[in-house]
């Protein structure tokens, strides 16, 4: 996924200002595709320059005022093209498994504490997703958009469930190894 396409998606859902987009990324899109305030504003400028979006007309001068953007037909066409594009799955690039592999060579050091910390962060995110799922289930209207959003939420729940389960297994196995309790790293 790319940031321009995430922005086009968000703007098609609802025309927004850069600030509103930043807030929406923090509350929803950012769970699976994060972007900083500066990245969003920079991308809005590029999208506007290429004719994929435009600032909505305003009765007041725009200097210093927030602009709201909407997607133009070319932007919608680009998003449709991107949705239809064939793409190979990409490996997850989380450094924790790579750090664990390195620990197999140099010793665990403080990695166990980091694994426990990651487990807590993933468990908290999982609970947050489940809370969103419970809230959305209570006010379910069942529109096509809501059904698609639930599928994305389910992907997040399943991914966080994977991490919690894998970390529980990894921590349990590593804590059972000789040498880990003494902090000397892995022993054969």
């Amino acid at each position: 996924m790319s940031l321009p396409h995430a922005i086009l998606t968000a703007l098609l859902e609802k025309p927004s200002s850069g600030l509103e987009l930043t807030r929406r990324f923090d509350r929803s899109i950012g769970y699976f595709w994060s972007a900083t305030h500066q990245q969003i504003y920079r991308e809005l400028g590029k999208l506007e320059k290429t004719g994929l979006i435009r600032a909505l007309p305003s009765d007041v001068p725009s200097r210093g005022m927030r602009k709201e953007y909407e997607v133009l037909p070319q932007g919608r066409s680009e998003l449709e093209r991107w949705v239809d594009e064939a793409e190979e799955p990409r490996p997850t690039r989380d450094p924790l498994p790579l750090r664990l592999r390195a620990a197999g060579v140099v010793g665990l050091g403080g990695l166990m504490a980091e694994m426990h910390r990651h487990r807590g962060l993933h468990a908290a995110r999982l609970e947050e997703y489940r809370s969103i799922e419970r809230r959305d289930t209570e006010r379910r209207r069942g529109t096509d958009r809501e059904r698609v959003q639930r599928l994305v939420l389910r992907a997040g729940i399943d991914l966080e469930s994977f991490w919690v389960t894998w970390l529980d297994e990894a921590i349990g196995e590593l804590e059972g190894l000789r040498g880990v309790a003494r902090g000397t790293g892995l022993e054969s």
Side-chain angles (χ1 to χ4, degrees):
M1 178 179 202
S2 67
L3 182 56
H5 297 103
I7 290 173
L8 288 171
T9 300
L11 290 176
L12 276 170
E13 290 172 343
K14 179 183 178 209
S16 303
S17 68
L19 180 59
E20 290 168 332
L21 279 174
T22 300
R23 289 179 180 153
R24 289 172 59 201
F25 266 72
D26 289 344
R27 288 189 322 264
S28 61
I29 295 171
Y31 287 125
F32 55 90
W33 193 262
S34 62
T36 66
H37 186 81
Q38 294 85 358
Q39 289 171 317
I40 290 171
Y41 274 95
R42 188 171 39 248
E43 204 57 53
L44 284 169
K46 290 178 187 177
L47 290 168
E48 187 174 27
K49 187 176 181 179
T50 58
L52 300 180
I53 66 170
R54 73 173 180 139
L56 290 170
S58 175
D59 294 335
V60 294
S62 63
R63 184 156 179 83
M65 302 296 289
R66 83 177 181 190
K67 292 191 227 178
E68 280 205 346
Y69 296 91
E70 70 177 353
V71 176
L72 295 171
Q74 302 93 307
R76 183 180 191 89
S77 294
E78 168 54 23
L79 193 59
E80 289 169 349
R81 181 207 61 76
W82 181 72
V83 166
D84 289 344
E85 186 177 272
E87 192 171 75
E88 295 301 314
R90 294 185 183 152
T92 303
R93 290 185 55 133
D94 190 302
L96 189 60
L98 181 58
R99 290 173 66 194
L100 182 57
R101 183 169 176 160
V105 178
V106 299
L108 285 171
L111 189 58
M112 289 302 295
E114 184 68 354
M115 291 181 71
H116 281 283
R117 188 178 78 81
H118 275 246
R119 197 264 182 222
L121 293 170
H122 284 290
R125 177 67 55 92
L126 176 58
E127 182 49 40
E128 187 176 356
Y129 287 168
R130 286 180 173 157
S131 174
I132 292 168
E133 183 181 46
R134 285 189 297 272
R135 180 200 70 205
D136 289 353
T137 300
E138 291 172 6
R139 57 185 180 133
R140 179 180 295 176
R141 291 187 297 260
T143 66
D144 288 349
R145 179 187 289 177
E146 289 167 331
R147 292 173 71 185
V148 169
Q149 288 173 339
R150 274 195 301 278
L151 287 171
V152 173
L153 179 60
R154 264 323 304 169
I157 289 170
D158 291 348
L159 185 58
E160 294 302 330
S161 294
F162 158 78
W163 279 110
V164 169
T165 300
W166 179 79
L167 283 161
D168 284 344
E169 290 173 9
I171 290 167
E173 187 166 329
L174 292 172
E175 286 179 343
L177 294 177
R178 294 186 327 246
V180 174
R182 293 192 311 270
T184 60
L186 301 173
E187 294 180 347
S188 48

